[in-house]
Amino acid sequence: MSSINGLAETGEIINIDGNCNRVAAILYGHEKVYLVAGQNKLAKDYDAALWRARNIAAPLNTKRLNRKTPCAVKGDKCYDCRSPERICATLSVLWTKPNSCDYEIILIEENLGF
């Protein structure tokens, strides 16, 4: 079970991860994966979902973790920094369901998380 950073109405699922442990578990390792998203994670299309993940979810999560990065300090957008405290090491996009496991998306009609 995992949350996601962006969910496009066109079907793409986007996650940004610092240590790669979360995206690794989502992409491979389990027969069934449950992805939970609040309505605030929904975006019109891939570009909007990617923008949301980079400019809303990542800065808020970086700030929550008390990291010293431009996005945490200013809290307004991704600066594509090279800070050693950066939490954006990987970006994963599920364009379609991989053959290796089954996914279920649970959409909750509330604003949840970042």
Side-chain angles (χ1 to χ4, degrees):
M1 180 180 286
S2 180
S3 64
I4 57 177
N5 297 130
L7 174 61
E9 291 177 11
T10 51
E12 299 88 358
I13 299 169
I14 298 175
N15 276 299
I16 294 176
D17 195 355
N19 294 318
C20 305
N21 57 325
R22 187 167 63 98
V23 296
I26 291 170
L27 298 175
Y28 185 79
H30 299 280
E31 293 177 11
K32 179 86 173 182
V33 176
Y34 296 92
L35 300 172
V36 181
Q39 65 187 11
N40 55 316
K41 307 287 180 86
L42 283 175
K44 178 182 171 191
D45 56 24
Y46 168 78
D47 289 332
L50 178 60
W51 185 91
R52 187 206 180 284
R54 293 191 75 207
N55 295 292
I56 295 174
L60 289 173
N61 201 26
T62 305
K63 187 172 187 171
R64 177 185 68 85
L65 295 169
N66 295 314
R67 301 293 180 97
K68 292 174 181 54
T69 63
C71 72
V73 171
K74 295 184 179 183
D76 59 347
K77 66 176 184 170
C78 174
Y79 288 84
D80 198 21
C81 70
R82 298 294 180 241
S83 170
E85 295 198 30
R86 180 179 176 159
I87 67 163
C88 305
T90 62
L91 170 71
S92 74
V93 179
L94 287 171
W95 299 101
T96 186
K97 184 185 88 59
N99 296 329
S100 62
C101 70
D102 189 26
Y103 290 84
E104 186 167 330
I105 299 171
I106 302 165
L107 184 59
I108 299 174
E109 292 185 32
E110 293 180 35
N111 291 338
L112 300 172
F114 308 129

